[in-house]
């Protein structure tokens, strides 16, 4: 799973990513709030580890922005030296899911991260890690999709959308449900973002009946992604 660390102290940022990498997660580190926000334009993260004091914007403001634009997910863990009760209350009230004081205690830090992920994605860490359908193998943990044994090059957002489709195969999916799950918000009715991403997936993943799936647009509602005859 992909975790963003927003931390301006170089040594602490390295420690955070090292601990997460050793625990089996993929960590991306950002030294400023603006760098993190730029990354959110085309990347999706499963959890955010947030420092409070940053050189350009406060972690408090960043958490508020993420919650306003992305909804309940991703879970956010404040990791900060600000440990007054008023700070903890403010951090949790603005939208953080947990609060951990520095200095980092490695065992507790990793345990808190795992606990937040289990609560936020109860299926992702268990039976849905590997999905097989027709000619496809979807590896949620490694964030890889293989078609006939060959990994397909997808952007982070394309992978998130494809994973959502494969996890909901056979269901009629409303546009706003897909947008909320993948982008964290329902988009304007005139937006073509979802349709553009669906078109790219259809081409990149060769979403055709001969490969074991069918992607169909349902007028005025959304999409249906369904299984077809077994891939030979």
């Amino acid at each position: 799973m992909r975790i963003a660390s927003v931390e301006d102290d170089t040594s602490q940022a390295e420690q955070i990513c090292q601990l997460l990498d050793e625990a089996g997660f993929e960590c991306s580190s950002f030294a400023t709030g603006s760098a993190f926000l730029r990354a959110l334009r085309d990347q999706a993260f499963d959890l955010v580890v947030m420092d409070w004091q940053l050189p350009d914007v406060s972690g408090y403001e960043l958490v508020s922005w993420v919650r306003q634009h992305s909804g309940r997910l991703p879970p956010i863990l404040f990791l900060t030296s600000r440990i007054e009760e008023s700070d903890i209350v403010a951090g949790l009230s603005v939208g953080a899911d947990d609060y951990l004081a520095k200095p980092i205690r490695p065992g507790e830090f990793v345990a808190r991260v795992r606990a937040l992920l289990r609560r936020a994605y109860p299926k992702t860490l268990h039976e849905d890690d590997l999905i097989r359908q027709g000619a496809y193998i979807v590896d949620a943990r490694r964030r890889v999709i293989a078609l006939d044994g060959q990994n397909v090059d997808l952007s982070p957002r394309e992978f998130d959308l494809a994973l959502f489709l494969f996890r909901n195969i056979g269901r009629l999916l409303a546009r706003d449900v897909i947008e909320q799950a993948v982008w964290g918000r329902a988009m304007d009715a005139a937006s073509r973002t979802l349709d553009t991403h669906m078109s790219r997936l259809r081409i990149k993943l060769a979403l055709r009946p001969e490969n074991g799936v069918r992607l169909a647009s349902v007028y005025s509602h959304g999409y249906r992604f369904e299984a077809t005859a077994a891939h030979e």
Side-chain angles (χ1 to χ4, degrees):
M1 302 190 79
R2 303 182 71 246
I3 298 177
S5 169
V6 189
E7 169 63 65
D8 64 316
D9 184 284
T10 303
S11 62
Q12 292 188 9
E14 291 176 352
Q15 182 185 15
I16 290 168
C17 278
Q18 180 180 353
L19 290 171
L20 293 173
D21 289 341
E22 291 174 352
F25 302 109
E26 179 184 342
C27 178
S28 297
S29 186
F30 304 94
T32 64
S34 57
F36 170 62
L37 291 178
R38 284 195 300 272
L40 286 181
R41 295 174 184 171
D42 59 0
Q43 298 183 51
F45 298 100
D46 299 300
L47 181 141
V48 178
V49 179
M50 182 75 69
D51 188 16
W52 188 299
Q53 295 169 297
L54 296 165
D56 57 343
V57 64
S58 74
Y60 180 93
E61 293 172 299
L62 282 179
V63 170
S64 177
W65 189 95
V66 171
R67 284 293 174 256
Q68 289 175 27
H69 292 81
S70 299
R72 181 179 62 85
L73 297 176
I76 299 173
L77 170 64
F78 257 129
L79 182 61
T80 175
S81 57
R82 295 183 60 156
I83 56 173
E84 295 295 327
E85 182 181 10
S86 59
D87 293 326
I88 297 174
V89 170
L92 295 175
S93 297
V94 79
D97 297 275
D98 202 354
Y99 202 104
L100 196 58
K102 293 179 180 179
I104 299 172
R105 291 181 289 188
E108 181 182 6
F109 170 64
V110 173
R112 294 285 188 100
V113 167
R114 291 192 185 279
L116 284 175
L117 290 170
R118 282 196 302 271
R119 292 201 296 270
Y121 314 101
K123 289 186 177 181
T124 302
L125 299 181
H126 299 289
E127 67 269 21
D128 279 349
D129 273 359
L130 203 64
I131 302 171
R132 298 177 185 273
Q133 173 59 49
Y136 305 92
I137 298 178
V138 182
D139 190 330
R141 183 174 294 276
R142 294 176 54 235
R143 295 181 63 83
V144 170
I145 298 180
L147 170 60
D148 284 332
Q150 298 295 316
N151 290 347
V152 180
D153 185 21
L154 299 175
S155 72
R157 193 74 75 183
E158 289 167 348
F159 177 85
D160 292 332
L161 178 56
L163 179 61
F164 181 76
L165 292 176
F166 276 96
R167 282 188 171 151
N168 290 277
I169 199 160
R171 296 176 57 192
L172 179 60
L173 301 169
R175 296 180 65 89
D176 60 341
V177 170
I178 302 173
E179 291 166 352
Q180 186 67 46
V182 178
W183 282 270
R185 67 189 188 281
M187 299 178 187
D188 184 87
S191 173
R192 303 300 297 171
T193 299
L194 173 59
D195 305 285
T196 299
H197 278 72
M198 285 293 195
S199 178
R200 289 174 182 167
L201 279 187
R202 194 188 299 272
I203 295 170
K204 286 187 174 184
L205 290 174
L207 300 177
R208 299 190 295 266
E210 56 266 34
N211 287 327
V213 297
R214 178 185 292 109
L215 177 63
S217 175
V218 180
Y219 179 71
S220 78
H221 185 80
Y223 288 87
R224 183 187 293 277
F225 187 60
E226 55 191 3
T228 60
H231 174 65
E232 298 297 337

